[in-house]
Amino acid sequence: MAEHVPRRRRTLQDVATDVGLSANTVSRALRGQSGVSEATRERIRQAAERLGYVPNVHARSLVLGSHRTIGLVITNVSNPFYAELISAIELRAAEEGYHIVLFLSEESPARELAAAENVIQSGLDGVIVVPVQGPTNPWRQVARAGMPFVVVNRRLDDLAVDTVATDNYAGAHAATAHVISQGARSIVMLEEDLTITTIHQRIQGFRDALTEASLPCDDSQILMVPTRRQDRVVLPWQAGDAYRMTVDLLSRGHRPDAFVVGNDYFALGLYRALRERGLRCPDDTFVVGFGDYPFAEFLDPPLSTVRLPAAEVGRTAVELLLQRIRGDDPPPTEPILVQPELVTRSSTGV
């Protein structure tokens, strides 16, 4: 069962009310000052831990009012989707008088944990998070502390938290259905090997489109491209990995009618592998990407791709977070899925 997210940050007064003592006594106990018995000190400590209360290093600012500052935890700023997302969040937050503090996780659980701890202690008004989805979930503690936060792009199914994401399932389904409508019958997908919900959703959209068209779909048609996100901070993907996997596929005598790739960078490597084998796109095979990054329309041939609504995702996330910060009635915690757009160009014969 998903854990309930408190409506607001836990305060010193919450702890005092819970144990039936004054806020002054609770404050002295938590700061280790004299005049509080050990038994009472322990009872206060346990109550603070149970409630998720964390002493705020910016307590004076909280007394005076809001910091008007929002945290933003992103996995990789060189990802064009996240670059646009950051810009949209910053612009919308600025319209409401809020500043942004950026934290980078680089898909590292350790860095994500450090970011979560900083978020709790920094006195931010709220935080927008792209979770790593690693073996642990540090955002549980943020939720217990009452910090308003919104998850974007990925999901945390064990927390009842507001989520805004691109409908990756719909995007992959539309891309696959498009090449099927163009006559493709044998189709291969190139995807990242990260175990995150966005990739799972794209793979499912690919599978379902094939099944609905009564076309074969087995694991051999889904090639998981090694990602460099966990050991590189420059680019989230490497076109060379997709190139090598495509060369290997073609060298084994398999030439699909179409390729659906999880991001446009993979298409760069795929195009090169096709050219080296004397194959032409779209005459010999179709290619459709994901992302509609700035270079997509300038490739030869221009790349059909799924345009991601990063700006809309960002603006929607800010709106939800501000509702939480203001203490408005909580919006539905069902994920909000923003629809992508299939952009057709010459790589699929259109």
Side-chain angles (χ1 to χ4, degrees), residues 78-81 83-84 264-265 291-299 305 345:
S78 64
N79 181 330
F81 176 89
E84 185 176 356
D264 292 348
Y265 281 98
D292 195 27
Y293 298 145
F295 59 80
E297 65 178 310
F298 298 102
L299 294 178
T305 184
R345 299 187 178 106

Side-chain angles (χ1 to χ4, degrees), residues 19 213 224 257 259 264 289 350:
V19 296
M224 304 305 292
D257 296 333
F259 291 87
D264 292 348
V350 178

Side-chain angles (χ1 to χ4, degrees), residues 10 12 15 42 51 57-58 63 100 159 176 195 212 216 223 297 316 319:
R10 299 301 188 187
L12 190 71
V15 181
E42 179 60 16
L51 293 174
V57 297
H58 297 287
V63 170
I100 297 296
L159 279 177
T176 308
T195 55
E212 292 164 13
L223 305 181
E297 65 178 310
T316 304
E319 295 295 341

Side-chain angles (χ1 to χ4, degrees), residues 138-350:
W139 304 108
R140 282 179 169 274
Q141 185 60 29
V142 175
R144 293 191 187 106
M147 167 76 74
F149 78 102
V150 173
V151 170
V152 296
N153 202 41
R154 304 175 184 178
R155 296 182 61 168
L156 292 176
D157 291 328
D158 57 346
L159 279 177
V161 61
D162 296 302
T163 302
V164 186
T166 301
D167 192 338
N168 283 276
Y169 173 91
H173 187 281
T176 308
H178 170 60
V179 293
I180 292 172
S181 72
Q182 293 296 95
R185 292 298 175 263
S186 62
I187 306 170
V188 165
M189 184 180 215
L190 296 181
E191 254 303 350
E192 302 174 77
D193 65 351
L194 283 180
T195 55
I196 56 177
T197 53
T198 51
I199 292 172
H200 297 159
Q201 292 157 2
R202 288 201 293 264
I203 291 175
Q204 192 60 51
F206 172 74
R207 288 183 179 277
D208 286 354
L210 292 176
T211 299
E212 292 164 13
S214 300
L215 294 176
C217 179
D218 57 50
D219 290 344
S220 67
Q221 293 171 251
I222 302 172
L223 305 181
M224 304 305 292
V225 181
T227 180
R228 302 298 177 87
R229 291 189 184 192
Q230 295 176 351
D231 57 21
R232 285 180 67 95
V233 297
V234 178
L235 285 175
W237 308 289
Q238 296 297 300
D241 295 322
Y243 163 76
R244 286 183 285 273
M245 294 195 77
T246 306
V247 167
D248 179 68
L249 178 71
L250 297 174
S251 67
R252 290 185 277 112
H254 182 39
R255 197 207 74 193
D257 296 333
F259 291 87
V260 176
V261 300
N263 66 74
D264 292 348
Y265 281 98
F266 288 170
L268 296 175
L270 175 58
Y271 270 30
R272 176 180 172 181
L274 293 174
R275 286 196 304 270
E276 290 180 354
R277 293 299 183 279
L279 299 175
R280 294 181 299 173
C281 174
D283 296 337
D284 298 309
T285 189
F286 300 133
V287 179
V288 58
F290 223 88
D292 195 27
Y293 298 145
F295 59 80
E297 65 178 310
F298 298 102
L299 294 178
D300 184 19
L303 180 67
S304 292
T305 184
V306 177
R307 179 176 295 160
L308 303 179
E312 186 177 353
V313 169
R315 289 190 294 267
T316 304
V318 173
E319 295 295 341
L320 284 176
L321 184 64
L322 291 177
Q323 288 185 47
R324 289 292 192 186
I325 292 171
R326 291 191 296 259
D328 296 345
D329 290 335
T333 54
E334 284 296 314
I336 295 176
L337 297 179
V338 184
Q339 295 303 305
E341 176 189 358
L342 177 65
V343 180
T344 56
R345 299 187 178 106
S346 302
S347 69
T348 55
V350 178

